[in-house]
Amino acid sequence: MVILIDYPASAGLLSTAGELRMPFSDTVKYFILGISVTLLLLALGILAWQAFRCCTQTHTTYIEEDTVSSDLLYSEDKSRTSGSHAEAPRTRVEDVGTEVRRLSRCLSQASFPSSGSSQGDSDAGKQATKKVDGSLRFSIYHDQLQSQLVVTILQVEGLLEHLQTRSLQLFVKLSLMWAGSEGVEVEGCMEEEEVEGTAPVLWTVLQEWRTRIVKGSCNPLYGDQFSCVLQEHTELHHLTLRMEVRDFDKFSRHAVLGEVKVPLGQFNIAYPLELQEDLQIPQKDLVGEVLLSLKFLPTSQRLEVGLLKVRMVLTKMCSDTALYARISVQCNHCKLRYQKTSAVARCLVTVFNEVLMFSLPEFPLEQCKIVVSVYETRMTRKSTKRLIGQLTVGKEKSSEDKHWSLMMRSVRQPIAKWHGLLI
């Protein structure tokens, strides 16, 4: 027979287990409880504040949208009936419209077709900033014994700070350019040169420099000095120094405020010469030619862009230099994914013979722009690249290029044409 006996030690074991389960004093327990209650109240307060802000902003947005709609619908009637009080409603519509445009930039481009026009307005704004008044002070010296050219950027003066959301971040980009040949017949540049009465010149960028960035000043001081060794056969009357004053942008969309071009053959720079020149409107320079082929397939809504040849002036032979092109297409303010060609060794006429295909939207093409950017890279260093030049082909709502019109008249047939490569 098995007899079950209850021992009183179990109660002591239970109490010991309870003490082991929470080995804190009452003060610590109340302190932890107080912190928990405080955090809970803080979280509830933040939640209530966010809900209040959300309701308030939604209500304000609805009121502004209704105000804009009503003012736009009845602004014409108000202008007819009220003679002296016509300015107040118009001012109100402009202010609210500015706020609506600011909010619409956060939305997708597909919902608002005018977003593309806003991008065009920003580009037009950058073009307008080219007419900023100002001058550039610099010095040039040619050391004939060492065949060395020394350029010193001293100061940018007289810039007018326009109304903008941020202060200027100025730097100067310098390009030493050599006139390779004259009388080059390029389709993209012949019309402009014929109007001016001068033959186009094919340039080559020998050297490029950049000064440091000076923030928040319209009259920045630099004192940056740059030098390069010129080759023996290089003559000064073939060299031109181009200096561009730019406003820095972190997305590499630097706005060009003005430029100064100095033909070195027109000055006696055997001794250090200090000059101060007024900023001029920036102009593109011809650096090469590109043979481009276009073919449009209307059934499949595809565009074939063929890069056949690139012709440039070659100053020196480098075995590790190569060229590649980046082609981007923008249709109806919708930017398609860009494509790149393979890198080909650089020579006087670089042959690519590559065709890239882009799928276009199905609706009618009101605007289409093809941008071809040619870069120079090194085979040994993958991260090194330099922009050689760009060209743009396409159509707008009111006009179109000759190459584009020939392509549309000869669908399903490739049309090749030479274009000027500008920088």
Side-chain angles (χ1 to χ4, degrees):
M1 177 181 293
V2 179
I3 301 175
L4 299 176
I5 301 175
D6 296 334
Y7 292 95
S10 60
L13 291 175
L14 291 176
S15 62
T16 305
E19 292 177 359
L20 291 175
R21 197 176 297 117
M22 185 63 70
F24 301 111
S25 62
D26 295 340
T27 304
V28 176
K29 295 177 182 178
Y30 288 129
F31 181 72
I32 296 175
L33 180 61
I35 293 177
S36 303
V37 173
T38 304
L39 293 177
L40 178 61
L41 294 177
L42 182 61
L44 292 176
I46 294 174
L47 180 62
W49 172 248
Q50 294 294 335
F52 175 75
R53 286 186 59 188
C54 181
C55 296
T56 305
Q57 290 180 356
T58 304
H59 180 66
T60 305
T61 304
Y62 290 156
I63 292 177
E64 289 181 354
E65 290 179 355
D66 295 340
T67 305
V68 174
S69 301
S70 60
D71 288 343
L72 291 177
L73 288 174
Y74 300 106
S75 59
E76 184 177 358
D77 297 338
K78 290 181 181 179
S79 62
R80 293 178 180 177
T81 55
S82 58
S84 61
H85 303 282
E87 290 296 330
R90 184 160 55 250
T91 305
R92 184 179 181 184
V93 169
E94 289 178 357
D95 294 339
V96 179
T98 303
E99 180 68 14
V100 171
R101 286 194 299 271
R102 184 183 66 82
L103 295 175
S104 65
R105 284 197 295 267
C106 301
L107 301 179
S108 62
Q109 296 183 355
S111 301
F112 287 85
S114 61
S115 61
S117 62
S118 64
Q119 183 179 0
D121 296 341
S122 64
D123 296 339
K126 291 184 179 180
Q127 297 292 335
T129 57
K130 295 179 180 179
K131 299 183 179 180
V132 176
D133 297 331
S135 61
L136 178 63
R137 189 161 58 91
F138 57 96
S139 66
I140 311 176
Y141 170 56
H142 180 219
D143 189 352
Q144 297 180 358
L145 296 178
Q146 300 180 0
S147 186
Q148 188 177 19
L149 180 66
V150 181
V151 182
T152 305
I153 302 297
L154 301 177
Q155 187 181 10
V156 177
E157 299 178 356
L159 286 180
L160 299 180
E161 187 173 2
H162 292 265
L163 297 177
Q164 51 188 359
T165 56
R166 62 180 182 87
S167 60
L168 293 175
Q169 302 181 19
L170 299 179
F171 72 95
V172 181
K173 180 182 178 181
L174 298 88
S175 302
L176 183 61
M177 308 182 69
W178 178 65
S181 60
E182 296 183 357
V184 181
E185 296 184 0
V186 180
E187 176 68 23
C189 303
M190 284 301 297
E191 297 180 358
E192 297 180 359
E193 300 293 342
E194 287 176 359
V195 175
E196 297 179 359
T198 59
V201 179
L202 192 61
W203 295 92
T204 300
V205 180
L206 300 179
Q207 195 76 27
E208 288 184 343
W209 304 285
R210 277 181 52 171
T211 64
R212 56 188 174 87
I213 300 174
V214 178
K215 299 181 180 180
S217 175
C218 295
N219 302 288
L221 290 170
Y222 290 99
D224 296 349
Q225 189 176 85
F226 309 95
S227 62
C228 68
V229 177
L230 302 178
Q231 298 179 4
E232 296 181 357
H233 65 276
T234 304
E235 299 180 0
L236 290 181
H237 67 272
H238 285 163
L239 295 178
T240 297
L241 182 63
R242 185 177 71 176
M243 295 165 285
E244 297 176 340
V245 179
R246 298 191 173 194
D247 186 15
F248 177 78
D249 181 77
K250 62 181 180 180
F251 299 107
S252 299
R253 295 190 295 264
H254 310 307
V256 182
L257 303 182
E259 72 173 9
V260 173
K261 290 185 178 180
V262 181
L264 300 184
Q266 297 182 3
F267 298 93
N268 182 16
I269 57 177
Y271 300 93
L273 178 63
E274 182 174 333
L275 299 173
Q276 184 168 1
E277 299 288 340
D278 294 333
L279 297 178
Q280 305 295 330
I281 299 177
Q283 296 180 356
K284 299 289 186 179
D285 293 316
L286 182 65
V287 294
E289 304 169 282
V290 175
L291 182 58
L292 199 67
S293 172
L294 299 179
K295 183 171 72 172
F296 179 60
L297 304 175
T299 305
S300 58
Q301 284 295 114
R302 290 184 178 182
L303 177 66
E304 290 186 1
V305 181
L307 183 64
L308 305 182
K309 297 179 182 180
V310 176
R311 182 167 58 193
M312 293 182 296
V313 176
L314 193 62
T315 57
K316 58 182 179 179
M317 294 294 296
C318 295
S319 58
D320 61 341
T321 58
L323 298 181
Y324 76 92
R326 170 176 167 171
I327 302 177
S328 61
V329 178
Q330 180 180 358
C331 286
N332 296 344
H333 308 296
C334 178
K335 191 173 183 180
L336 306 180
R337 182 178 178 84
Y338 69 88
Q339 300 185 35
K340 295 193 300 184
T341 65
S342 58
V344 181
R346 180 176 180 177
C347 56
L348 185 60
V349 178
T350 307
V351 180
F352 287 90
N353 287 335
E354 293 191 26
V355 177
L356 305 178
M357 186 170 295
F358 297 88
S359 297
L360 303 179
E362 296 182 357
F363 41 81
L365 298 178
E366 298 180 356
Q367 180 266 346
C368 188
K369 182 171 66 174
I370 305 171
V371 179
V372 180
S373 304
V374 180
Y375 292 89
E376 181 187 56
T377 183
R378 295 295 181 91
M379 296 293 190
T380 56
R381 293 173 290 180
K382 296 183 179 180
S383 60
T384 303
K385 68 175 182 179
R386 182 173 67 92
L387 177 64
I388 298 296
Q390 288 183 334
L391 69 92
T392 303
V393 182
K395 70 179 295 291
E396 298 293 338
K397 292 184 179 180
S398 58
S399 62
E400 63 182 16
D401 294 336
K402 185 177 180 180
H403 195 179
W404 183 273
S405 60
L406 290 176
M407 179 195 68
M408 297 304 293
R409 287 200 297 265
S410 304
V411 293
R412 300 183 182 89
Q413 297 294 329
I415 304 297
K417 201 172 187 61
W418 285 98
H419 294 272
L421 194 63
L422 305 177
I423 190 172

